[in-house]
Amino acid sequence: MGLEGNQELSNFLGWVSIACWLVVYSPQIVQNYQLKSGEGLSVSFVAIWLIGDLCNLSGALLANLIPTIIILGTYYSVCDVILLFQIYYYRWKSARRSERQLLVDESEESTVYDEETPLLAGGAEAPTKKSMSKETLKFVTALLFVFAVGVAAWAVDRHLHRDNPRQKPEEVIEWRSQCLGWISAALFLGARVPQIVKNLSTRCEGLSPFLFVYSISGNTTYFLSILAASLDIKHLAANAPWIAGSALTVFLDLFVLYQFFHYRLEDNRRAEALEGSESD
C-alpha cells in the first residue's frame, strides 16, 4: 500500500468498525435494564463522552471526512443519551421505592427487612467463583460474530457499488474542524478517568466489560481504516485528531479491562478461601 492508500481496505476496516460500534453500547444498556440500575457507570464518563462525540461529529461534518466517521459520530451521540437516561431513570425509580417504603407501618417494614435484606451485613454478597475461561470465550465468540457481520456488510456494500466504487471524499483542513477534533480527542481520553476511579470503589460491579471490548475493537479498526485510505500527509493531518483520539483511548480501555479481570480473579480467590474455610 503506497501513499495513495487502498480504498477497498479502508472500506473493509470501516465496516468492521461500524459493526463493533453498532453493538458496543448494547451489553451495557441490557445490563442496566436487568439490574434496574446504571450505577456501574460513572455519570461523568458518559457525559464527557457525549460532549466529545458531539464535538467529533461537528468537526467531521465541517471537514467533510469519510462517511464512517460521520455515521459513527451520530450513532455514538444517540447511545450516550440513552445511557444517561437509564442512569437517572433508575435513580428516580429507586428514590420512589424508598419513599414508598417509608410509608409502610413498622411491622410491614420489619417483614420486608427480614425477607429481602441480604444475609451478609452491609448488603455485601458472598463472593462466588466465576470461570475466567468462560468469560474469555464469551469475548472471543462475540467478537468473531461482530467481525463476521462487519465483513458481510462490507461484501454487500462492495457488491452494490461494483460498477461505481466508492471514492474518498475531498478533505478540507480548516481550523474549526481541527479544534473540535482535538477537543473531542481530549474529552474521550479524559472521560475514562472518572470511570477508572469509580471502578476502584465498585470493583467493576454493574459494568459490562463488553462495552470496552467492543470499544477497543471499534477504535482499532477505526483508525486503521483512516490510515488504510491514504498515508498522504494532508490526509493524515486532516484526520490527526481522530487518529489520536481512537488510538490513545484503546490503552485506557485496556486498563479498564485489566481492572475487570483483576477484580474477578480476586473474587475467585476469596470464594475459594471461603469454600476452604467452610469445608474445614
Side-chain angles (χ1 to χ4, degrees), residues 127-129 268-280:
T128 56
K129 189 174 180 181
N268 284 349
R269 294 193 192 101
R270 289 169 57 200
E272 290 174 353
L274 187 61
E275 289 173 1
S277 63
E278 289 176 349
S279 62
D280 292 340

Side-chain angles (χ1 to χ4, degrees), residues 155-173:
V156 171
D157 179 73
R158 185 184 185 193
H159 176 74
L160 293 175
H161 295 87
R162 62 186 182 281
D163 297 325
N164 185 24
R166 289 184 181 274
Q167 300 298 320
K168 186 167 72 73
E170 184 64 29
E171 293 171 327
V172 180
I173 302 178

Side-chain angles (χ1 to χ4, degrees), residues 45-157:
F45 167 55
V46 183
I48 296 172
W49 208 353
L50 173 59
I51 297 171
D53 283 330
L54 292 174
C55 290
N56 180 40
L57 175 60
S58 301
L61 289 170
L62 287 171
N64 192 32
L65 298 184
I66 58 177
T68 301
I69 297 177
I70 295 172
I71 293 171
L72 294 181
T74 303
Y75 184 73
Y76 302 162
S77 302
V78 172
C79 290
D80 292 336
V81 171
I82 292 173
L83 287 176
L84 282 175
F85 171 79
Q86 282 188 311
I87 292 172
Y88 286 106
Y89 173 72
Y90 288 127
R91 283 184 180 179
W92 173 77
K93 286 194 70 174
S94 178
R96 287 285 300 274
R97 284 195 299 269
S98 298
E99 290 174 2
R100 286 196 298 269
Q101 189 172 351
L102 291 174
L103 298 176
V104 300
D105 60 44
E106 187 173 348
S107 61
E108 289 175 335
E109 190 176 74
S110 176
T111 301
V112 171
Y113 178 84
D114 291 339
E115 293 180 355
E116 296 184 2
T117 303
L119 295 177
L120 297 181
E125 294 183 357
T128 56
K129 189 174 180 181
K130 299 178 181 179
S131 172
M132 298 304 293
S133 60
K134 287 184 178 179
E135 292 283 346
T136 304
L137 181 60
K138 284 197 302 184
F139 293 157
V140 173
T141 303
L143 270 181
L144 288 176
F145 174 75
V146 171
F147 275 33
V149 171
V151 172
W154 164 76
V156 171
D157 179 73

Side-chain angles (χ1 to χ4, degrees), residues 216-269:
I216 291 167
S217 304
N219 273 319
T220 301
T221 51
Y222 181 39
F223 75 76
L224 286 177
S225 73
I226 297 174
L227 296 180
S230 175
L231 293 177
D232 179 75
I233 190 64
K234 181 181 177 182
H235 172 75
L236 295 179
N239 290 276
W242 292 271
I243 295 173
S246 295
L248 294 176
T249 52
V250 165
F251 294 101
L252 292 180
D253 287 343
L254 284 171
F255 185 77
V256 174
L257 279 185
Y258 161 76
Q259 286 183 306
F260 177 82
F261 281 103
H262 171 72
Y263 290 130
R264 290 299 173 273
L265 286 171
E266 278 195 350
D267 289 343
N268 284 349
R269 294 193 192 101

